[in-house]
């Protein structure tokens, strides 16, 4: 009888292990960038001819860097949440438009003349913000995705919370839901602003 | 049913052929040594978009970008360790197909060994118990039993 309890116990332990393991989100890979300074970049600002922006411009503020694209389906889901959130303007959100043309599987880049890539990307991004609302303080254009690589972007949308000294304090992969905003992002921002 | 299966087989063969030619096309570069290093490094790295493929195997956008990035770093004379560091500092240990041995990966590396150890111990105690049991059963015969056995043997001889 005793050994059956033992087997039952081992089986229960296995069930618990699998239950925990299978409920983890394999998409949520912990970012090694949390706790490190936000990687430097200097990119063209969408809609402002000749203007550039980098993380150091935001020193002294707690801000969000939101990686998005018009081809990204989950971004569409997240967008209204960001628009609503940006209304009260308590936290500046900077948009990082990630591979606007190159990331779009439906575009054959061999057919796009190199000199037309940037204007086309700008047009698409601007059109999208006009149509769906613009929650961003400004958006920078990461045409070739190099800055995305520095930030370890692997699935758009992604959002980084960056503190006053320019250190990344949190990374959220996937769309921001009202729940995530309320439970994860806002408490952290409040703490960092204190 | 059979027809559909054959069609599927043919289609999948065709698609792998097309895929192979595409990767080969990407691999054909000016420097065969650099290209070989690129291949080796890409096999060590996980594509985070399609998590069970290496960067070498994956045709996801990100894998293509990362292969380009690695190629650039090889041309800049970076060592393999530097290139892997570059990846880990951005995507974490998860990007490595052979994660390093450290505190957080202890269960991963030590787990199978620990299970084997437990299995060996369990096996040993089981075998020990069983041999004790059989030893206990193998009592010497009583005088009465010996007498009966001898009688039976004798009977056999007489036949």
């Amino acid at each position: 009888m005793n050994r059956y309890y033992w087997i039952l116990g081992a089986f229960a332990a296995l069930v618990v292990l699998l239950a925990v393991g299978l409920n983890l989100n394999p998409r949520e890979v912990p970012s090694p960038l949390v706790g490190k300074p936000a990687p430097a970049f200097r990119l063209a600002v969408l809609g402002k001819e000749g203007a550039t922006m980098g993380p150091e411009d935001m020193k002294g503020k707690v801000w969000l860097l939101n990686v998005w694209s018009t081809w990204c389906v989950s971004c569409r889901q997240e967008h209204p949440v960001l628009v609503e959130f940006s209304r009260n303007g308590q936290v500046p959100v900077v948009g990082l438009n990630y591979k606007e043309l190159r990331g779009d599987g439906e575009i054959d880049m061999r057919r796009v003349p190199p000199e037309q890539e940037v204007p086309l990307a700008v047009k698409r991004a601007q059109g999208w913000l006009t149509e769906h609302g613009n929650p961003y303080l400004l958006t920078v254009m990461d045409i070739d995705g190099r800055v995305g690589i520095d930030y370890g972007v692997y699935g758009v949308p992604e959002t980084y919370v960056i503190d006053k000294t320019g250190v990344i304090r949190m990374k959220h992969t996937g769309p921001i839901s009202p729940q995530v905003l309320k439970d994860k992002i806002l408490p952290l921002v409040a703490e960092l602003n204190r | 049913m059979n027809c559909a299966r054959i069609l599927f087989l043919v289609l999948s063969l065709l698609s792998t052929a097309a895929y192979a030619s595409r990767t080969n096309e990407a691999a054909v570069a000016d420097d065969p040594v650099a290209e070989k290093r690129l291949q080796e490094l890409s096999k060590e790295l996980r594509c985070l978009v399609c998590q069970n493929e290496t960067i070498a195997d994956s045709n996801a956008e990100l894998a293509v970008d990362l292969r380009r990035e690695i190629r650039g770093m090889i041309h800049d004379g970076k060592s393999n360790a530097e290139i892997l560091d570059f990846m880990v500092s951005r995507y974490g240990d998860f990007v490595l197909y052979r994660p390093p041995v450290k505190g957080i990966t202890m269960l991963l590396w030590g787990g199978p060994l620990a299970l084997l150890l437990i299995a060996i111990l369990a096996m040993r105690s089981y075998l020990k118990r069983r041999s004790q049991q059989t030893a206990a059963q193998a009592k010497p015969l009583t005088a009465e039993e010996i007498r009966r056995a001898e009688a039976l043997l004798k009977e056999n001889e007489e036949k």
Side-chain angles (χ1 to χ4, degrees), chain A residues 120-180:
Chain A
L120 205 59
V122 164
K123 203 176 141 212
R124 277 187 14 145
Q126 252 166 351
W128 202 74
L129 290 179
T130 312
E131 189 184 334
H132 299 279
N134 186 355
Y136 304 113
L137 178 71
L138 52 89
T139 288
V140 290
M141 301 296 287
D142 184 17
I143 296 288
D144 58 10
R146 275 235 156 76
V147 172
I149 290 178
D150 281 342
Y151 277 80
V153 171
Y154 60 90
V156 210
E158 292 187 4
T159 305
Y160 300 81
V161 179
I162 299 169
D163 72 9
K164 289 177 183 170
T165 60
V167 171
I168 295 177
R169 300 306 288 263
M170 193 195 103
K171 177 189 176 182
H172 178 77
T173 308
I176 295 178
S177 61
Q179 198 70 26
V180 168

Side-chain angles (χ1 to χ4, degrees), chain A residues 26-27 99 102 149-150, chain B residues 49 51 61 65 69 90 92:
Chain A
R27 292 260 146 223
K99 294 176 72 175
R102 295 189 197 187
I149 290 178
D150 281 342
Chain B
V49 179
Q51 299 184 340
E61 273 285 327
D65 283 1
E69 214 58 30
R90 282 158 180 76

Side-chain angles (χ1 to χ4, degrees), chain B residues 3-65:
Chain B
C3 204
R5 203 173 280 175
I6 289 165
L7 185 71
F8 173 73
L9 197 73
V10 168
L11 278 178
S12 56
L13 277 175
L14 279 176
S15 68
T16 45
Y19 166 76
S21 77
R22 250 184 89 180
T23 41
N24 286 345
E25 193 178 270
V28 174
D30 39 356
D31 185 353
V33 180
E35 217 44 43
K36 195 164 165 280
R37 270 183 68 198
L38 170 66
Q39 282 299 323
E40 280 166 8
L41 280 166
S42 324
K43 276 185 200 144
E44 292 284 316
L45 295 165
R46 183 193 304 276
C47 170
L48 278 102
V49 179
C50 30
Q51 299 184 340
N52 289 324
E53 273 188 309
T54 64
I55 287 178
D57 294 331
S58 175
N59 261 333
E61 273 285 327
L62 183 67
V64 175
D65 283 1

